[in-house]
Amino acid sequence: MARIKYSTPIVEMQGDEMTRILWDEIKEILLEPYVELNTEYYDLGLEHRDETDDEVTVAAAEAIKKHGVGVKCATITPNAQRVEEYGLKKMWLSPNGTIRAHLDGTVFREPILCESIRPYIPAWTKPIVIARHAYGDVYRNSEIRVDGKAEALLEVKYADGKITRSKIADFAGAGVVQGIHNTDSSIENFARSCFNYALDLKRDLWFATKDTISKTYDRRFKEIFAELYQNEYEKKFQGAGIKYEYSLIDDSVARIIRSNGGMIWALKNYDGDVMSDMVATAFGSLAMMTSVLVSPSGAYEYEAAHGTVTRHYYRYRAGEKTSTNPVATIFAWSGALNKRGEKDGVKELCAFADRLERAVKHTINEGFITGDLKALYQKEGVAPVVLNSQEFLKKISENL
Ligand code: NAP
Ligand code: MG
């Protein structure tokens, strides 16, 4: 059979541990037999990041900017234990953080739905895509422990010397204070990525904050979204038959629970952190969650939302055949191939990506699954069979 070809490379970022093993198997069993993969390869495995003083991560981020499409394997974010385990020169930053900062992008997380895997909220028949603003707020805060009677002030000193002050509180005794910030440009980039991605997927966009309480801070988010929508996106949304809606965060949470899903839910940094775990859990398994980083300039980086599955890797190294779920990593590849095909007008590549995704869902619906899905499986008349990762990939390949 002639393999599918395409000319612009996809930026391929290899990662760590169990997902590194799955990465090679996915390519060998599901991709290379059908597609002549043209990738620009970056090894983001922890050893190689250490050898290159993490320059490889920056180079990969630059390459995504250049080629517009990347696919990334899960990677270890080093902590003190990893520094010791791998004998690292230093505790390198999270590769995802580095890439996100370079692309100034927004991360969209989307669950992969199969009819045989029932969400905990039965009304959720369509995926809910979470868009989390990944800059500022409590993640870049400044905190002070107050020891006794004190006056806490918020002060902004401008470059020209002008000062604006506001009282936070009069402390009668001990307590705590916190300062947080965000910038118009980061909020605008976030809003732009959300509007663009909604148009991409042709799905409604919901955005929510607490602007009734936070009348300056959260209100600024609401205003920037509203201005951008009116000035640049309203007509495009009407043309695509989709809606943009702003609501209060509490109202939004209640409406999401009662909805059938199908929307993109844009959230501030903290809300997005919390709600993405809630949504992932409610849909079933972290191993069935994909993630795409979209830059305001239109570059896309696809990956699985889960990590390197360390516990399975240690068992794999001890000689065990693990039943680690490769689905989100396969969907990272199909997402990247599909986007490459779409950007370059290679229809066969898009068609292959669709077929691959259908083959994965078909395999699960037929009852061939990995261990993590067993407790969630609900299909009349089907007793699911738990396979190891390789057997599962081969089953998908048969269906493909
Ligand atoms: P994890 O790799 O997501 O795994 C946590 C647990 O979730 C696993 O032990 C496993 O549970 C289950 N799980 C996750 N993915 C699975 C899959 N594909 N198939 C089956 N089960 C799956 O999170 P972690 O253990 O907290 O982190 C491990 C490493 O990944 C860390 O070094 C962290 O820095 C890194 N990480 C990277 C990314 C990324 O690159 N995007 C994201 C998160 C974490 P059982 O053991 O109960 O089977
Ligand atoms: Mg979280």
Side-chain angles (χ1 to χ4, degrees):
M1 200 180 83
R3 296 195 300 168
I4 300 163
K5 289 187 182 138
Y6 59 95
S7 52
T8 320
I10 289 174
V11 180
E12 173 185 355
M13 289 156 281
Q14 175 72 296
D16 291 299
E17 298 193 314
M18 203 60 223
T19 43
R20 188 178 181 96
I21 309 292
L22 290 177
W23 192 261
D24 291 332
E25 290 178 349
I26 290 168
K27 282 172 66 182
E28 188 195 316
I29 298 171
L30 293 179
L31 304 177
E32 279 161 350
Y34 309 99
V35 180
E36 207 168 296
L37 287 180
N38 172 10
T39 69
E40 197 168 296
Y41 180 87
Y42 292 85
D43 183 0
L44 301 194
L46 187 51
E47 284 107 338
H48 194 237
R49 274 182 276 151
D50 195 50
E51 276 163 30
T52 61
D53 293 336
D54 209 23
E55 275 169 21
V56 64
T57 308
V58 176
E62 288 301 321
I64 300 169
K65 260 190 202 163
K66 180 172 164 204
H67 298 301
V69 182
V71 57
K72 181 179 164 292
C73 178
T75 45
I76 292 169
T77 298
N79 54 18
Q81 182 256 320
R82 297 294 198 170
V83 171
E84 195 175 317
E85 181 183 353
Y86 283 81
L88 301 179
K89 293 182 207 158
K90 68 184 244 199
M91 203 186 290
W92 304 108
L93 296 174
S94 147
N96 289 48
T98 302
I99 294 168
R100 199 162 56 214
H102 265 261
L103 296 177
D104 198 6
T106 298
V107 174
F108 297 88
R109 277 177 145 204
E110 173 165 359
I112 300 156
L113 302 196
C114 287
E115 63 191 42
S116 49
I117 311 287
R118 294 276 166 80
Y120 285 98
I121 298 178
W124 286 1
T125 51
K126 291 178 271 182
I128 294 170
V129 179
I130 299 252
R132 172 181 171 189
H133 183 214
Y135 177 82
D137 300 355
V138 70
Y139 302 85
R140 295 234 180 165
N141 65 3
S142 170
E143 302 183 318
I144 299 175
R145 173 97 170 81
V146 178
D147 290 332
K149 194 168 160 43
E151 181 187 26
L153 299 168
L154 194 58
E155 180 181 292
V156 175
K157 207 184 286 174
Y158 289 88
D160 67 4
K162 196 182 86 182
I163 290 178
T164 315
R165 264 194 211 97
S166 156
K167 161 116 40 150
I168 299 173
D170 283 314
F171 283 88
V176 282
V177 283
Q178 163 172 259
I180 60 172
H181 80 283
N182 225 298
T183 65
D184 282 12
S185 77
S186 175
I187 300 167
E188 191 183 319
N189 277 341
F190 173 53
R192 196 175 289 285
S193 298
C194 292
F195 288 129
N196 286 340
Y197 200 59
L199 286 168
D200 236 27
L201 299 188
K202 294 211 171 28
R203 297 203 196 147
D204 290 348
L205 176 67
W206 292 17
F207 179 50
T209 74
K210 191 73 177 175
D211 68 296
T212 46
I213 299 297
S214 174
K215 291 189 168 65
T216 303
Y217 196 105
D218 278 19
R219 185 170 171 183
R220 192 68 197 124
F221 281 77
K222 179 183 175 179
E223 284 169 355
I224 288 174
F225 268 73
E227 281 161 23
L228 197 61
Y229 182 66
Q230 275 159 23
N231 296 340
E232 289 185 39
Y233 289 97
E234 195 164 8
K235 288 217 174 68
K236 291 181 192 163
F237 268 52
Q238 281 164 0
I242 55 173
K243 281 188 299 212
Y244 166 64
E245 283 177 54
Y246 175 84
S247 55
L248 270 180
I249 182 73
D250 4 18
D251 184 32
S252 195
V253 168
R255 285 172 55 216
I256 284 278
I257 297 290
R258 290 194 304 262
S259 79
N260 300 126
M263 71 292 286
I264 297 175
W265 196 18
L267 296 164
K268 287 178 61 200
N269 211 347
Y270 176 80
D271 298 336
D273 183 352
V274 177
M275 289 302 156
S276 66
D277 283 357
M278 192 271 282
V279 167
T281 309
F283 272 110
S285 164
L286 194 55
M288 297 289 280
M289 193 68 141
T290 58
S291 161
V292 52
L293 174 72
V294 183
S295 82
S297 67
Y300 290 73
E301 185 221 17
Y302 294 84
E303 71 168 330
H306 61 76
T308 59
V309 210
T310 310
R311 280 205 292 270
H312 292 213
Y313 181 60
Y314 291 157
R315 300 205 317 256
Y316 170 87
R317 267 202 325 205
E320 190 184 321
K321 282 194 164 38
T322 68
S323 182
T324 314
N325 189 336
V327 169
T329 307
I330 298 171
F331 272 63
W333 272 102
S334 59
L337 292 170
N338 201 2
K339 184 54 76 179
R340 185 76 284 160
E342 186 192 305
K343 277 186 185 251
D344 302 355
V346 188
K347 287 207 189 82
E348 313 85 83
L349 200 55
C350 300
F352 171 76
D354 285 344
R355 265 202 308 279
L356 176 57
E357 293 185 356
R358 283 207 306 274
V360 170
K361 291 185 183 188
H362 182 79
T363 305
I364 294 171
N365 289 333
E366 265 190 317
F368 298 102
I369 58 169
T370 47
D372 57 304
L373 299 179
K374 187 146 192 239
L376 307 162
Y377 204 89
Q378 287 186 35
K379 193 173 175 199
E380 284 262 323
V382 180
V385 182
V386 172
L387 305 175
N388 69 43
S389 302
Q390 241 192 42
E391 291 166 341
F392 180 66
L393 289 171
K394 287 192 175 139
K395 204 76 198 168
I396 297 169
S397 160
E398 283 171 26
N399 283 327
L400 189 59

